[in-house]
Amino acid sequence: MSIKMFIKMLDFIKKITNYPIRFSIPVLITITISISLVFAIIFFLNILKNITENQIQKQNQIYKFYITKNIQTENEFFDSLLLLHNSLDTKAFFIIHTQTNKILFSNETYYINKDIKFLQLTSYNFVYELLQSNSNNRYQTYLNLSENLIKKNENYIYIISKPELYWKFVFIYKFSILNFLLNQNLILTFSSFLIVLVFPFVLINLLYKYYFKKRIQNIIYFTEEIKKTNFQVRIPVQGKDEISYISSFLNHLAEIIEKLIFFDSLTEVLNRNGFEFNVNLILKKVQSGVFFFMDLDGFKYVNETFGHNIGNIALKIISKRICSLCEKNSFGGKIIFGRIGGDEFAIFFSTKIDYINYLNIQLFANKIIEVVSEKISINELDIILGISIGIAIYPKDGKSLGELLTNSDLAMHHSKNTIKNSFAFYDLFIKETYEQKNILRNALLTILKKNILKDHFYIVYQPIYSLKEEKITSTEVLLRFKHDSIKSEPSMFIPLLEELNLMKNIDNYVIEKSFADFDDLKKYSITKLSINLSISQLRSDDFYKNIKQLLSSFSIQPQNIIFEITETSFMKEPDKILKIINSLNDLGFSFALDDFGTGYSSLQYLKEIPIKNLKIDKTFIKDISYNKKSLNIIKALLKMSKSLNLEITAEGVEDFSTFTTLKNLEFDYVQGFFISPPLELGNFIKLIKKNNYQKL
């Protein structure tokens, strides 16, 4: 055997081993059909043989019956036998005298009066062999013992002896399938033949039914479930044949698809699709449950300040922390946790809603806030994030996943807008607030589209009181909204304007109107206007140019204007914004850092931005008259501002004791309802006339 042949044989064996069905089924079918055909032919030929032999036996009985009669004359007998032969299926017959070995009579006259040796030279030589007394003749003994049908070549031979006349009658029949089919029962024959031919197909059907059908049905069921987006279905794997190989491959493919469609590639928790799929499955089985919608506080700042790579690492760490909490939950069931957006996460778990579990839900929410708020250290950077959580109860707050998602989202935004890094349960108040917000959003879009700003927006002035001069020396310009059917505070409509990217138009209106009003204000010793700048203004390429044009249009100097900015406005595109701030500062404008202490890294901006004034948020001011810690914080801030040569303003002063404490601490400025609420221009001028001549 050559090496090539040996290698081919090895490859063939390998193929059979790897793909047994591909080879075994055709081979099995071929062998089965071949065996069936062999058996069919044998069976069919046996049927033909038996039928033929039975027919010959019947004819021979007729011959035998006729021969046993008394013979009157030989010629009459021979003629009658010839007539009988013509009516039957005998091919030929001979009457032979056993003593003389002469052929006394035959249906073929050619043989009459010939010696039987003559048959040796003709087509009937087998008759000669049978009739020889030679001991080597294997038929001789058999012929002498009984009168039976003998098969010789393709002929059947029947011999009858008539010893009293020394005659032997030899009848010859030739077997012909065609003659048989033409003369016999075709229906019976073909029915038998077809039964044998059908056998391999019956065998294959049984093989398919009991070995392949169930496995193929499993694959079909698998494909139907995949169409329904049930990627958790798997095919049972049996054996090592091709179907098993295909089943294993499809199972592996389903796992990959499930990961791609149902799992978040970054955090490896469920994504929105996977979360919704799993929650929908559970909602069909449970009677009550809890839905958490969560959004990180300060994550945009992390991305914009440190980059998306750091943000991604932070998301992974937070996901692991929440996953760990979910695994150790005290609710007794599985908690489904997923990342459904950039920095948005969701949780659903089934539990009985009663007083005790209601408290446990709050404890669980607080634990999430606690673990998320823990310091995250990445590449020597320390990051602290918060999380706002909205909670909806199933089925009270929503009977479907869509309703639960919507309502918990509303509760989350309510929490974020009220107190960040906290949680809120969904209720009707939140729903009403959301509906009002929608109404307001539509109204704002209509106002901006129709360009009727002056009909619905106006400015008011909140006095800023100088503790050194003991009078109102400046004012903060604030925006207000009026509508026949809608009431809205700045805390609602200003975020909406920013969200809709409409703040730029409003800001230009505010600056232009306040610059125009300054002509009246400066007559009453108002030397400074504090104007809030929005993110859209600071990021606008035209802002610097517009300010210079307004300065030339109104009799106002840059030294009269203080622009107030917040830390959050500086977080977006800090390089670009710092460039604009420095340009305005070069023109003579001053800057104040508003809401100081409420951001993420306030001290950082004191180094980078040319700040002249710090405005301390009211959350630090409101309790300094009785809270020692708050008072010490304020003292520290005051000391820091003096060391940096910064003026300091206290916001939200609402009572005399707070005012007195700040005055004793030698604050520069105060503002708040104790001095005056924001007023329109006319009332503000009246207030200045009245109060600037009365010491507080």
Side-chain angles (χ1 to χ4, degrees):
M1 181 183 294
S2 67
I3 296 174
K4 288 184 179 180
M5 287 293 292
F6 181 72
I7 292 171
K8 285 183 179 179
M9 188 178 3
L10 288 178
D11 289 340
F12 180 73
I13 293 170
K14 185 179 179 181
K15 287 179 181 178
I16 293 175
T17 306
N18 292 338
Y19 307 104
I21 292 178
R22 188 184 301 178
F23 290 91
S24 61
I25 294 300
V27 169
L28 181 62
I29 291 171
T30 303
I31 292 172
T32 305
I33 291 176
S34 299
I35 293 172
S36 299
L37 285 173
V38 170
F39 277 104
I41 292 168
I42 293 171
F43 180 70
F44 183 62
L45 291 176
N46 274 309
I47 291 174
L48 295 182
K49 179 184 175 183
N50 290 333
I51 295 174
T52 303
E53 289 179 356
N54 288 335
Q55 184 178 0
I56 293 171
Q57 291 284 7
K58 290 178 182 179
Q59 293 187 23
N60 289 335
Q61 291 298 324
I62 296 171
Y63 280 122
K64 190 172 182 179
F65 175 76
Y66 180 77
I67 291 170
T68 54
K69 289 182 178 181
N70 292 326
I71 299 174
Q72 299 297 326
T73 63
E74 286 185 6
N75 289 334
E76 287 181 4
F77 176 76
F78 292 157
D79 291 339
S80 300
L81 187 61
L82 183 61
L83 185 62
L84 181 62
H85 159 74
N86 292 332
S87 65
L88 298 175
D89 295 329
T90 320
K91 176 184 176 184
F93 73 88
F94 298 93
I95 302 174
I96 298 169
H97 198 284
T98 57
Q99 289 185 333
T100 62
N101 286 329
K102 293 290 185 180
I103 300 173
L104 301 178
F105 190 79
S106 172
N107 64 307
E108 299 181 29
T109 57
Y110 176 75
Y111 295 101
I112 297 176
N113 297 318
K114 298 291 192 298
D115 191 277
I116 60 167
K117 288 184 179 181
F118 181 75
L119 294 174
Q120 191 176 13
L121 305 174
T122 68
S123 60
Y124 293 109
N125 57 354
F126 56 87
V127 176
Y128 171 77
E129 292 175 5
L130 288 175
L131 295 174
Q132 287 301 300
S133 57
N134 189 343
S135 59
N136 293 328
N137 189 338
R138 58 194 175 102
Y139 299 105
Q140 188 63 44
T141 305
Y142 178 74
L143 287 171
N144 291 335
L145 291 175
S146 62
E147 296 174 348
N148 285 305
L149 203 61
I150 299 165
K151 181 77 164 59
K152 181 68 174 177
N153 298 331
E154 294 182 356
N155 299 283
Y156 286 94
I157 305 167
Y158 193 77
I159 301 174
I160 303 173
S161 297
K162 199 167 180 61
E164 66 272 18
L165 296 176
Y166 302 104
W167 287 359
K168 280 188 187 258
F169 295 85
V170 180
F171 299 97
I172 301 169
Y173 301 88
K174 186 171 180 64
F175 176 67
S176 171
I177 294 178
L178 181 60
N179 289 335
F180 172 80
L181 294 176
L182 292 172
N183 296 312
Q184 303 304 319
N185 189 337
L186 298 181
I187 296 176
L188 176 62
T189 306
F190 278 107
S191 297
S192 303
F193 188 69
L194 287 174
I195 288 171
V196 179
L197 284 181
V198 167
F199 169 73
F201 302 101
V202 173
L203 179 64
I204 293 167
N205 182 62
L206 291 174
L207 186 67
Y208 167 75
K209 182 176 181 181
Y210 292 103
Y211 186 71
F212 295 110
K213 185 177 180 180
K214 180 68 175 176
R215 300 170 72 190
I216 292 172
Q217 284 177 340
N218 287 336
I219 294 175
I220 293 170
Y221 172 76
F222 170 86
T223 56
E224 292 299 326
E225 289 299 305
I226 292 293
K227 285 181 183 177
K228 298 174 185 175
T229 67
N230 177 15
F231 297 105
Q232 295 175 329
V233 67
R234 296 293 182 270
I235 306 170
V237 179
Q238 303 171 1
K240 294 183 179 180
D241 53 29
E242 286 89 334
I243 293 179
S244 300
Y245 176 80
I246 293 168
S247 300
S248 299
F249 174 77
L250 291 175
N251 286 339
H252 179 63
L253 192 62
E255 289 175 7
I256 294 173
I257 294 172
E258 184 180 16
K259 285 183 180 179
L260 290 173
I261 295 179
F262 283 170
F263 287 87
D264 177 48
S265 59
L266 176 66
T267 60
E268 296 182 352
V269 301
L270 292 171
N271 59 17
R272 189 181 188 109
N273 287 330
F275 180 80
E276 290 181 354
F277 180 81
N278 281 275
V279 172
N280 278 322
L281 288 180
I282 291 181
L283 287 177
K284 297 174 183 178
K285 303 174 184 177
V286 301
Q287 295 182 342
S288 58
V290 182
F291 195 101
F292 281 24
F293 189 93
M294 303 173 287
D295 184 80
L296 295 179
D297 297 327
F299 183 71
K300 288 183 180 179
Y301 166 76
V302 172
N303 270 344
E304 292 168 359
T305 306
F306 305 115
H308 288 274
N309 289 337
I310 298 297
N312 288 341
I313 296 171
L315 283 174
K316 288 182 181 179
I317 294 170
I318 288 169
S319 294
K320 287 180 180 178
R321 290 178 181 179
I322 300 175
C323 275
S324 180
L325 271 182
C326 292
E327 290 170 0
K328 299 173 184 176
N329 76 88
S330 59
F331 296 100
K334 181 183 177 182
I335 291 182
I336 299 174
F337 169 61
R339 179 189 176 204
I340 59 174
D343 61 341
E344 295 175 337
F345 298 89
I347 282 175
F348 182 82
F349 56 92
S350 61
T351 186
K352 185 180 179 182
I353 306 300
D354 54 19
Y355 176 74
I356 294 174
N357 273 344
Y358 194 79
L359 293 176
N360 288 334
I361 292 166
Q362 296 179 65
L363 288 172
F364 185 57
N366 279 321
K367 284 181 181 178
I368 292 174
I369 293 169
E370 184 181 333
V371 298
V372 171
S373 301
E374 291 174 4
K375 182 174 67 176
I376 300 171
S377 297
I378 306 170
N379 299 338
E380 299 181 355
L381 292 172
D382 290 337
I383 298 169
I384 296 177
L385 295 169
I387 192 166
S388 297
I389 305 173
I391 305 173
I393 305 299
Y394 171 77
K396 179 178 75 70
D397 299 330
K399 295 181 180 179
S400 67
L401 176 60
E403 290 179 350
L404 290 170
L405 189 61
T406 299
N407 294 338
S408 59
D409 187 19
L410 292 177
M412 183 276 294
H413 279 96
H414 177 77
S415 171
K416 190 180 284 287
N417 294 332
T418 307
I419 304 174
K420 289 185 177 181
N421 207 29
S422 64
F423 66 87
F425 283 87
Y426 172 79
D427 57 24
L428 289 177
F429 171 75
I430 291 174
K431 183 181 179 182
E432 290 171 0
T433 304
Y434 171 75
E435 290 173 349
Q436 289 173 4
K437 192 175 180 181
N438 267 343
I439 294 170
L440 178 60
R441 178 185 282 106
N442 293 331
L444 291 174
L445 287 170
T446 303
I447 290 167
L448 268 295
K449 187 177 180 181
K450 293 181 177 180
N451 196 22
I452 49 175
L453 298 180
K454 294 180 182 180
D455 295 340
H456 296 281
F457 289 98
Y458 64 99
I459 61 174
V460 293
Y461 297 91
Q462 184 167 38
I464 299 175
Y465 187 84
S466 172
L467 292 172
K468 291 179 181 178
E469 299 182 41
E470 296 185 331
K471 66 177 183 178
I472 298 169
T473 58
S474 58
T475 181
E476 182 177 357
V477 182
L478 300 171
L479 182 67
R480 292 294 182 265
F481 175 75
K482 61 181 178 180
H483 197 280
D484 293 339
S485 58
I486 303 171
K487 291 183 179 180
S488 178
E489 296 297 321
S491 59
M492 182 176 283
F493 72 77
I494 288 179
L496 267 179
L497 287 169
E498 290 176 346
E499 178 187 319
L500 297 170
N501 200 27
L502 301 173
M503 199 65 198
K504 183 180 177 181
N505 298 5
I506 302 295
D507 287 333
N508 293 336
Y509 164 73
V510 170
I511 293 173
E512 187 175 344
K513 182 69 170 67
S514 57
F515 277 19
D517 288 349
F518 188 72
D519 281 341
D520 293 328
L521 293 174
K522 66 184 180 181
K523 297 175 184 177
Y524 301 98
S525 302
I526 299 300
T527 58
K528 300 280 185 180
L529 284 180
S530 285
I531 302 173
N532 292 282
L533 293 184
S534 67
I535 296 172
S536 59
Q537 284 175 305
L538 291 170
R539 296 172 69 184
S540 172
D541 295 328
D542 299 328
F543 179 61
Y544 179 78
K545 181 181 178 181
N546 292 338
I547 289 294
K548 288 191 72 174
Q549 288 178 349
L550 287 172
L551 285 175
S552 62
S553 301
F554 297 95
S555 58
I556 191 169
Q557 298 300 316
Q559 292 76 15
N560 300 130
I561 304 298
I562 299 174
F563 286 129
E564 294 188 15
I565 59 174
T566 61
E567 294 171 85
T568 52
S569 65
F570 189 71
M571 287 191 314
K572 294 188 176 182
E573 301 184 49
D575 293 338
K576 182 177 181 179
I577 291 171
L578 183 59
K579 185 178 179 181
I580 293 173
I581 289 173
N582 286 329
S583 298
L584 292 171
N585 188 61
D586 292 341
L587 286 177
F589 291 99
S590 300
F591 288 88
L593 190 58
D594 197 11
D595 299 332
F596 183 78
T598 60
Y600 300 97
S601 54
S602 302
L603 297 177
Q604 175 185 347
Y605 300 111
L606 297 181
K607 296 188 302 178
E608 298 179 357
I609 308 174
I611 299 296
K612 294 292 180 67
N613 188 292
L614 289 183
K615 300 192 76 173
I616 308 302
D617 189 72
K618 63 181 179 181
T619 55
F620 295 96
I621 300 296
K622 62 182 180 180
D623 58 351
I624 59 170
S625 59
Y626 56 86
N627 189 319
K628 205 165 187 178
K629 285 185 178 180
S630 296
L631 181 61
N632 288 332
I633 291 171
I634 291 301
K635 285 180 179 179
L637 290 174
L638 183 62
K639 186 177 180 180
M640 179 193 68
S641 65
K642 296 301 180 183
S643 66
L644 295 173
N645 197 27
L646 299 175
E647 293 180 335
I648 189 165
T649 302
E651 297 180 299
V653 179
E654 297 182 355
D655 54 66
F656 182 73
S657 61
T658 304
F659 176 83
T660 304
T661 303
L662 293 169
K663 186 175 182 181
N664 293 334
L665 289 172
E666 297 184 352
F667 258 66
D668 295 308
Y669 302 98
V670 294
Q671 69 180 95
F673 274 47
F674 178 72
I675 307 301
S676 172
L679 301 169
E680 293 189 55
L681 181 63
N683 291 329
F684 178 66
I685 291 173
K686 289 179 183 178
L687 177 70
I688 297 170
K689 288 179 180 179
K690 178 181 177 182
N691 288 283
N692 276 2
Y693 302 101
Q694 297 178 8
K695 293 183 180 181
L696 295 176

